[in-house]
Amino acid sequence: MTLNEELTAAQRCVDDLVRTVGRLEQRMGTGALELRRVRADADHLRESLALLREVSAQGPQKEGPPLVPLTDQPYDHTLWRDADDEGLGAGGRHAP
């Protein structure tokens, strides 16, 4: 399936969900907290899918900043000579 077909299928599913929640509201009433939460979640899904469609229509996204490679070599211990250990304080000092 193409991206557009996938988005259309997802939109159909969300539309079905919204219709089903509407039928549940008719049967149960809109006062139930759980049903209001389901309605809010369904509305958020609809909004999120609309945003996803907008992003996909813009084409491929730009890449972020370049990745910085990290080596497996240990750090130079002199970098941490005067640093405090979090929760332990500076090395060589004792608690009162």
Side-chain angles (χ1 to χ4, degrees), residues 66-84:
L67 298 177
V68 177
L70 298 176
T71 65
D72 290 335
Q73 301 295 327
Y75 285 108
D76 181 10
H77 292 290
T78 59
L79 292 172
W80 313 109
R81 185 178 327 139
D82 296 329
D84 291 347

Side-chain angles (χ1 to χ4, degrees), residues 37-50:
R37 289 178 66 185
V38 170
R39 167 57 72 186
D41 290 344
D43 291 341
H44 286 139
L45 278 174
R46 179 183 275 176
E47 292 169 9
S48 296
L49 192 57

Side-chain angles (χ1 to χ4, degrees), residues 25-40:
E25 286 175 334
Q26 289 175 351
R27 288 184 172 206
M28 298 176 67
T30 58
L33 174 63
E34 293 81 7
L35 194 54
R36 288 189 311 213
R37 289 178 66 185
V38 170
R39 167 57 72 186

Side-chain angles (χ1 to χ4, degrees), residues 12-33:
R12 271 189 249 118
C13 291
V14 170
D15 291 341
D16 287 343
L17 175 65
V18 169
R19 281 191 295 275
T20 302
V21 170
R23 287 193 299 266
L24 285 172
E25 286 175 334
Q26 289 175 351
R27 288 184 172 206
M28 298 176 67
T30 58
L33 174 63

